[in-house]
Amino acid sequence: RLTLAFAKTEVHTTGVDVSEDMIAEAKRNAKKFNLPNTSFYTSDDQLSTLGEEKFDLINSYIVFQHINTERGLNIFSSLVDRLNVRGIGIIQFSYSADKGKLNRAADYIRYRVPLVHQFINILKGREWNEPLMQMNSYDLNTIYNILQNKNITNTFQQLENHGGYLGVTIFFQK
């Protein structure tokens, strides 16, 4: 989502995603906008396709909530390991849904009862087969434990609300 915007600063920029389709799209867009200072990798949870590469800036915004928490925590831990000394991380996590009981019940049914999601898509004027976006909340104690165990002590956080999902962007320096 942000790799091409960062690349416009003329700094070499690396994009990583677990989806081959997203990487292919990013490569097409980098070529379209003449941004040769980009690299893109499809990767696993340990980011092993990056080899030993480290970074001065690591950024992820409104991404982790779409990754199941166990996998997301592994990826986050691997990202922190790849940060250079004095490098900066800016990572956003959702930690709670700020929805009423009726909306929570509707979400529960939408995720678990066949065809309910497709019916809601039609009611909202979308294609019937538009996929349901996975939304996950992360335990902030676990996030901060990872940071502290990796000797990250310089942090700042900004609280956010993304359409009923409470989140935090954590700024940290190694």
Short mmCIF file of all heavy atoms in Angstrom, two decimals, residues 97-113 116-117 120 124 132-133 135 163-165:
data_model
loop_
_atom_site.label_atom_id
_atom_site.label_comp_id
_atom_site.label_asym_id
_atom_site.label_seq_id
_atom_site.Cartn_x
_atom_site.Cartn_y
_atom_site.Cartn_z
N ALA A 97 -12.87 -4.17 18.84
CA ALA A 97 -13.98 -3.68 18.01
C ALA A 97 -14.86 -2.81 18.89
O ALA A 97 -15.28 -3.23 19.97
CB ALA A 97 -14.78 -4.84 17.44
N ASP A 98 -15.10 -1.58 18.45
CA ASP A 98 -15.94 -0.64 19.19
C ASP A 98 -17.33 -0.64 18.55
O ASP A 98 -17.74 0.33 17.93
CB ASP A 98 -15.30 0.74 19.16
CG ASP A 98 -16.06 1.76 19.99
OD1 ASP A 98 -16.71 1.35 20.97
OD2 ASP A 98 -16.00 2.96 19.66
N LYS A 99 -18.00 -1.78 18.68
CA LYS A 99 -19.31 -1.93 18.05
C LYS A 99 -20.33 -2.33 19.10
O LYS A 99 -20.00 -2.98 20.09
CB LYS A 99 -19.25 -3.03 16.98
CG LYS A 99 -18.35 -2.69 15.81
CD LYS A 99 -18.42 -3.79 14.79
CE LYS A 99 -17.75 -3.36 13.50
NZ LYS A 99 -17.98 -4.32 12.44
N GLY A 100 -21.57 -1.97 18.84
CA GLY A 100 -22.65 -2.36 19.74
C GLY A 100 -22.94 -3.85 19.63
O GLY A 100 -22.45 -4.55 18.75
N LYS A 101 -23.79 -4.33 20.54
CA LYS A 101 -24.13 -5.75 20.58
C LYS A 101 -24.75 -6.23 19.27
O LYS A 101 -24.46 -7.32 18.79
CB LYS A 101 -25.07 -6.03 21.74
CG LYS A 101 -24.41 -5.97 23.09
CD LYS A 101 -25.40 -6.28 24.20
CE LYS A 101 -24.70 -6.16 25.54
NZ LYS A 101 -25.63 -6.42 26.65
N LEU A 102 -25.61 -5.42 18.68
CA LEU A 102 -26.27 -5.81 17.44
C LEU A 102 -25.25 -5.98 16.30
O LEU A 102 -25.30 -6.97 15.57
CB LEU A 102 -27.34 -4.78 17.05
CG LEU A 102 -28.17 -5.12 15.83
CD1 LEU A 102 -28.93 -6.43 16.02
CD2 LEU A 102 -29.16 -4.00 15.54
N ASN A 103 -24.31 -5.02 16.16
CA ASN A 103 -23.29 -5.13 15.12
C ASN A 103 -22.35 -6.31 15.35
O ASN A 103 -21.94 -6.98 14.41
CB ASN A 103 -22.48 -3.83 15.01
CG ASN A 103 -23.22 -2.76 14.26
OD1 ASN A 103 -24.13 -3.05 13.50
ND2 ASN A 103 -22.83 -1.52 14.45
N ARG A 104 -22.01 -6.56 16.62
CA ARG A 104 -21.14 -7.71 16.93
C ARG A 104 -21.86 -9.02 16.59
O ARG A 104 -21.27 -9.94 16.04
CB ARG A 104 -20.71 -7.68 18.39
CG ARG A 104 -19.64 -6.65 18.67
CD ARG A 104 -18.94 -6.87 20.00
NE ARG A 104 -19.83 -7.06 21.13
CZ ARG A 104 -20.25 -6.08 21.94
NH1 ARG A 104 -19.86 -4.84 21.74
NH2 ARG A 104 -21.04 -6.36 22.96
N ALA A 105 -23.15 -9.08 16.90
CA ALA A 105 -23.93 -10.29 16.59
C ALA A 105 -24.03 -10.47 15.08
O ALA A 105 -23.89 -11.59 14.57
CB ALA A 105 -25.32 -10.19 17.22
N ALA A 106 -24.25 -9.38 14.35
CA ALA A 106 -24.34 -9.46 12.89
C ALA A 106 -23.01 -9.94 12.30
O ALA A 106 -22.99 -10.78 11.39
CB ALA A 106 -24.72 -8.11 12.31
N ASP A 107 -21.89 -9.42 12.81
CA ASP A 107 -20.57 -9.87 12.34
C ASP A 107 -20.37 -11.36 12.62
O ASP A 107 -19.86 -12.10 11.79
CB ASP A 107 -19.45 -9.07 12.99
CG ASP A 107 -19.27 -7.69 12.39
OD1 ASP A 107 -19.92 -7.41 11.35
OD2 ASP A 107 -18.49 -6.90 12.95
N TYR A 108 -20.76 -11.78 13.81
CA TYR A 108 -20.62 -13.19 14.19
C TYR A 108 -21.36 -14.07 13.18
O TYR A 108 -20.82 -15.05 12.67
CB TYR A 108 -21.16 -13.40 15.61
CG TYR A 108 -21.02 -14.82 16.09
CD1 TYR A 108 -19.85 -15.25 16.71
CD2 TYR A 108 -22.06 -15.74 15.93
CE1 TYR A 108 -19.71 -16.55 17.15
CE2 TYR A 108 -21.93 -17.05 16.36
CZ TYR A 108 -20.76 -17.45 16.97
OH TYR A 108 -20.61 -18.75 17.39
N ILE A 109 -22.61 -13.71 12.89
CA ILE A 109 -23.42 -14.49 11.95
C ILE A 109 -22.82 -14.43 10.55
O ILE A 109 -22.73 -15.44 9.84
CB ILE A 109 -24.88 -13.99 11.96
CG1 ILE A 109 -25.52 -14.32 13.31
CG2 ILE A 109 -25.68 -14.58 10.81
CD1 ILE A 109 -26.84 -13.63 13.56
N ARG A 110 -22.38 -13.26 10.14
CA ARG A 110 -21.83 -13.06 8.80
C ARG A 110 -20.62 -13.94 8.54
O ARG A 110 -20.42 -14.44 7.44
CB ARG A 110 -21.46 -11.58 8.66
CG ARG A 110 -21.12 -11.15 7.27
CD ARG A 110 -20.91 -9.67 7.25
NE ARG A 110 -20.79 -9.19 5.90
CZ ARG A 110 -20.66 -7.92 5.57
NH1 ARG A 110 -20.67 -7.00 6.51
NH2 ARG A 110 -20.54 -7.55 4.33
N TYR A 111 -19.80 -14.13 9.57
CA TYR A 111 -18.60 -14.95 9.42
C TYR A 111 -18.89 -16.45 9.50
O TYR A 111 -18.10 -17.25 9.04
CB TYR A 111 -17.57 -14.59 10.51
CG TYR A 111 -16.73 -13.39 10.18
CD1 TYR A 111 -17.09 -12.12 10.62
CD2 TYR A 111 -15.57 -13.52 9.42
CE1 TYR A 111 -16.32 -11.02 10.32
CE2 TYR A 111 -14.80 -12.42 9.11
CZ TYR A 111 -15.17 -11.16 9.57
OH TYR A 111 -14.40 -10.07 9.25
N ARG A 112 -20.03 -16.83 10.11
CA ARG A 112 -20.23 -18.25 10.42
C ARG A 112 -21.41 -18.92 9.71
O ARG A 112 -21.46 -20.14 9.66
CB ARG A 112 -20.36 -18.41 11.92
CG ARG A 112 -19.02 -18.19 12.60
CD ARG A 112 -19.16 -18.11 14.11
NE ARG A 112 -17.87 -17.87 14.75
CZ ARG A 112 -17.29 -16.68 14.85
NH1 ARG A 112 -17.87 -15.61 14.35
NH2 ARG A 112 -16.13 -16.55 15.46
N VAL A 113 -22.36 -18.17 9.22
CA VAL A 113 -23.54 -18.77 8.59
C VAL A 113 -23.42 -18.64 7.07
O VAL A 113 -23.31 -17.53 6.55
CB VAL A 113 -24.85 -18.10 9.10
CG1 VAL A 113 -26.06 -18.70 8.40
CG2 VAL A 113 -24.96 -18.24 10.62
N VAL A 116 -24.98 -15.74 4.31
CA VAL A 116 -25.36 -14.47 4.93
C VAL A 116 -24.49 -13.34 4.37
O VAL A 116 -25.00 -12.27 4.02
CB VAL A 116 -25.26 -14.54 6.47
CG1 VAL A 116 -25.40 -13.16 7.09
CG2 VAL A 116 -26.33 -15.47 7.01
N HIS A 117 -23.20 -13.57 4.28
CA HIS A 117 -22.30 -12.53 3.75
C HIS A 117 -22.68 -12.16 2.31
O HIS A 117 -22.72 -10.98 1.95
CB HIS A 117 -20.84 -12.97 3.83
CG HIS A 117 -19.91 -12.03 3.15
ND1 HIS A 117 -19.67 -10.77 3.64
CD2 HIS A 117 -19.20 -12.14 2.00
CE1 HIS A 117 -18.85 -10.14 2.81
NE2 HIS A 117 -18.55 -10.96 1.82
N ILE A 120 -25.72 -9.96 2.32
CA ILE A 120 -25.39 -8.59 2.75
C ILE A 120 -24.68 -7.84 1.62
O ILE A 120 -24.94 -6.65 1.41
CB ILE A 120 -24.56 -8.61 4.05
CG1 ILE A 120 -25.44 -9.10 5.20
CG2 ILE A 120 -23.97 -7.24 4.35
CD1 ILE A 120 -24.71 -9.37 6.49
N LYS A 124 -25.95 -4.30 -0.04
CA LYS A 124 -25.08 -3.10 -0.07
C LYS A 124 -24.69 -2.71 -1.49
O LYS A 124 -23.89 -1.80 -1.68
CB LYS A 124 -23.83 -3.34 0.77
CG LYS A 124 -24.13 -3.40 2.26
CD LYS A 124 -22.87 -3.47 3.07
CE LYS A 124 -23.18 -3.35 4.55
NZ LYS A 124 -21.98 -3.30 5.37
N LEU A 132 -15.24 -11.65 2.19
CA LEU A 132 -15.35 -11.05 3.52
C LEU A 132 -13.96 -10.76 4.04
O LEU A 132 -13.10 -11.64 4.05
CB LEU A 132 -16.09 -12.00 4.46
CG LEU A 132 -16.36 -11.52 5.88
CD1 LEU A 132 -17.19 -10.24 5.86
CD2 LEU A 132 -17.08 -12.60 6.66
N MET A 133 -13.73 -9.53 4.43
CA MET A 133 -12.42 -9.11 4.93
C MET A 133 -12.22 -9.63 6.35
O MET A 133 -13.04 -9.38 7.23
CB MET A 133 -12.32 -7.59 4.91
CG MET A 133 -10.96 -7.05 5.24
SD MET A 133 -9.71 -7.36 3.99
CE MET A 133 -10.25 -6.29 2.69
N MET A 135 -10.94 -9.64 9.98
CA MET A 135 -10.60 -8.59 10.94
C MET A 135 -10.20 -9.25 12.25
O MET A 135 -10.97 -10.02 12.82
CB MET A 135 -11.78 -7.65 11.17
CG MET A 135 -12.16 -6.84 9.94
SD MET A 135 -10.87 -5.76 9.33
CE MET A 135 -10.85 -4.51 10.59
N GLY A 163 -13.44 2.95 11.62
CA GLY A 163 -14.78 2.44 11.34
C GLY A 163 -15.29 1.41 12.33
O GLY A 163 -15.80 0.38 11.93
N GLY A 164 -15.12 1.68 13.60
CA GLY A 164 -15.60 0.76 14.62
C GLY A 164 -14.55 -0.20 15.13
O GLY A 164 -14.82 -1.02 16.00
N TYR A 165 -13.35 -0.13 14.59
CA TYR A 165 -12.24 -0.96 15.08
C TYR A 165 -11.21 -0.03 15.72
O TYR A 165 -10.66 0.86 15.06
CB TYR A 165 -11.61 -1.77 13.95
CG TYR A 165 -12.55 -2.83 13.43
CD1 TYR A 165 -13.38 -2.58 12.35
CD2 TYR A 165 -12.64 -4.07 14.07
CE1 TYR A 165 -14.27 -3.54 11.90
CE2 TYR A 165 -13.51 -5.03 13.62
CZ TYR A 165 -14.33 -4.76 12.53
OH TYR A 165 -15.22 -5.71 12.09
#
